[in-house]
């Protein structure tokens, strides 16, 4: 992989990291407000509160993971595999909540954002594969 392309991927994963930090900041540190904003319901049950906050805690971990990938995108592709699976799963879950009438249209900010990142992750893997073939 050329130096310029590697720099672009470093910036991309830094942006992915910040995307997750923004979501985690609101979801983890202002849990009830975020839940109400996405689902139009009060979050009063302590168990649901802990589960929902834990989901955003996972997003906070993704922030750290993508920051690690930004440091060395060639070495840390495993983090992107796990993170990409999580992004797709989370987006599908939110879409299912919306289609079931449980979430409002604000979830599309997350769904579309995570879908775009997932497509860019696929491109990243395509470029890694091409780069590895050219060095063999």
């Amino acid at each position: 992989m050329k130096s310029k392309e590697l720099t672009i991927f470093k910036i991309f994963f830094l942006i992915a990291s910040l995307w997750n930090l923004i979501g985690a900041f609101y979801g983890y540190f202002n849990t009830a407000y975020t839940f109400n904003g996405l689902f139009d319901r009060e979050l009063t049950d302590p168990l649901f509160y802990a589960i929902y906050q834990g989901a955003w805690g996972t997003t906070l971990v993704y922030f750290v993971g993508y920051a690690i990938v930004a440091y060395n995108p060639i070495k840390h592709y495993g983090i992107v595999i796990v993170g990409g699976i999580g992004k797709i799963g989370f987006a599908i879950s939110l879409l299912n909540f919306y289609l079931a009438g449980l979430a409002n249209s604000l979830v599309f900010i997350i769904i579309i954002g995570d879908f775009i990142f997932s497509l860019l992750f696929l491109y990243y893997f395509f470029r890694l594969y091409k780069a590895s073939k050219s060095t063999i």
Side-chain angles (χ1 to χ4, degrees), residues 15-32:
I15 292 168
S17 179
L18 293 173
W19 167 260
N20 283 275
L21 177 62
I22 291 166
F25 182 80
Y26 288 109
Y28 190 80
F29 297 108
N30 202 355
T31 307

Side-chain angles (χ1 to χ4, degrees), residues 12-91:
F12 164 66
F13 283 109
L14 185 61
I15 292 168
S17 179
L18 293 173
W19 167 260
N20 283 275
L21 177 62
I22 291 166
F25 182 80
Y26 288 109
Y28 190 80
F29 297 108
N30 202 355
T31 307
Y33 178 80
T34 304
F35 185 86
N36 183 268
L38 295 174
F39 300 104
D40 296 326
R41 292 172 175 76
E42 296 297 319
L43 184 58
T44 57
D45 185 297
L47 178 60
F48 287 166
Y49 186 95
I51 292 169
Y52 188 70
Q53 188 177 44
W56 284 109
T58 301
T59 304
L60 191 57
V61 172
Y62 288 164
F63 153 71
V64 174
Y66 295 133
I68 291 169
V69 177
Y71 178 73
N72 188 343
I74 294 172
K75 180 179 178 183
H76 299 294
Y77 62 88
I79 294 171
V80 181
I81 292 171
V82 174
I85 292 168
K87 284 202 165 304
I88 292 168
F90 192 57

